Amino acid sequence: MSGLRVAIVGFGKIARDQHVPAIAATPGITLAAVASRNASLSGLPHFATIEELLRDGPEIDAVALCTPPQVRCQQAVAALKAGKHVMLEKPPGAAVTELDPLIALATEQRRTLFATWHSRYAPAVAPARAWLAERRIDKVQINWKEDVRVWHPGQRWIWEPGGLGVFDPGINALSILTRILPTQLFVTAAELSFPSNCAAPIAADITMTDTSGLPIAAAFDFRQTGPQSWDIIVDTDGGQLVLSRGGARLAIAGKTLVEAPDEEYLGLYRHFVELAATSTSDVDLSPLRLVADAFLLGSRRIVEPFED
Ligand code: NAP
């Protein structure tokens, strides 16, 4: 076993689908243990909780927190106090204010706190950012619509306070938006649709802008059936830029320039290894702030109950 020894905490869908293969494929990092109440991985030490992992587990250098956002802060505190580097799945927390003490604790402990935004590592995001840096941007439209029953089956936490509802995928769009646009953005209005039996929205329409008055509209919907949309469309003086498939495809003025497979989590783990080598933190809260402001400013309407 060599390099950074990491334990995954919260062994659910994203841990299995992305973290395990990405760790296996990244030089300088090894999966050393799993902490999850109900799930384990054959051949690896298993603990029910992060406290048991830190007390009784093998020597580790880092944890990747893949639990729902509502429980991650306390887990991050425990890991940082034990001297471990911490990778946070997105969104970095259930609240914006819980991140400041975590950042301070990481600095005090001289450990890395990495708030991941996996969508920023999609292959077309960096080329889109570079292209837009040279253009006048006139208008942005985001369409992020997916079928919650396909992508989040049985995930009750998503509908509870702090679970974000449709903002759980929507924040991925906002993480791309805040990376590719050259200016700082803010929310001016939002309309949130809450199922009558849920504490989190199933759909949201958000209006944003920057200090130049750029019109930005985002439509998030969890009720999409049939074709799914993960698109960002930017009108510019050089033609229309379309980022689609969640950032895997880039077309400009109708011509496809990038179309590449998803290697987002490889990029995340490469960056985590680099950060941990110098105990540097990387925490950008701008996507979470936009979501928080959508909740602050948003008008609310109640829609039909959601049953999984
Ligand atoms: P998930 O399938 O529900 O997995 C999370 C795991 O955390 C659960 O299997 C559960 O394992 C554990 N857990 C749940 N509630 C807990 C609690 N109260 N205390 C401690 N552990 C708890 O969810 P997921 O889809 O993997 O999502 C996890 C995070 O990754 C979310 O923030 C999500 O936004 C992010 N993410 C998800 C995706 C995706 O496509 N699903 C993509 C990118 C990022 P045990 O029961 O074994 O403890």
Side-chain angles (χ1 to χ4, degrees), residues 168-180:
D168 178 80
I171 202 168
N172 296 334
L174 298 176
S175 75
I176 295 177
L177 185 73
T178 48
R179 175 53 63 91
I180 64 174

Side-chain angles (χ1 to χ4, degrees), residues 9-15 17-19 35-40 46 48 65-69 71-72 75 89-91 118 151-152 154-155 157-158 168-169 172 265:
V9 180
F11 205 67
K13 186 172 188 319
I14 200 62
D17 291 357
Q18 296 288 351
H19 288 257
S36 204
R37 299 163 309 176
N38 301 295
S40 59
H46 169 259
L65 302 185
C66 303
T67 41
V71 297
R72 253 188 256 131
Q75 295 176 331
E89 251 300 348
K90 51 65 49 172
H118 65 86
W151 301 103
H152 301 276
Q155 294 183 350
W157 58 264
I158 224 165
D168 178 80
N172 296 334
Y265 279 77

Side-chain angles (χ1 to χ4, degrees), residues 141-147 164-177 187 189-193 201-208 216-224 229-232 287 290-292 294-295 301:
Q141 173 69 47
I142 299 175
N143 298 315
W144 221 259
K145 300 182 180 185
E146 64 180 50
D147 187 341
L164 294 194
V166 76
F167 287 104
D168 178 80
I171 202 168
N172 296 334
L174 298 176
S175 75
I176 295 177
L177 185 73
V187 176
E191 184 176 285
L192 313 178
S193 298
I202 197 164
D205 289 305
I206 310 158
T207 308
M208 292 166 278
I216 306 172
F220 299 153
D221 206 320
F222 248 163
R223 299 165 297 191
Q224 181 87 346
S229 325
W230 297 287
D231 304 325
I232 300 178
L290 291 172
V291 171
F295 276 91
R301 61 194 191 98

Side-chain angles (χ1 to χ4, degrees), residues 249-284:
R249 183 174 181 276
L250 173 66
I252 293 172
K255 189 167 168 233
T256 301
L257 300 181
V258 177
E259 181 129 46
D262 164 15
E263 295 193 337
E264 296 172 10
Y265 279 77
L266 289 178
L268 282 186
Y269 272 100
R270 272 196 289 269
H271 191 45
F272 190 42
V273 169
E274 285 165 9
L275 290 170
T278 53
S279 293
T280 308
S281 288
D282 178 349
V283 183
D284 175 13

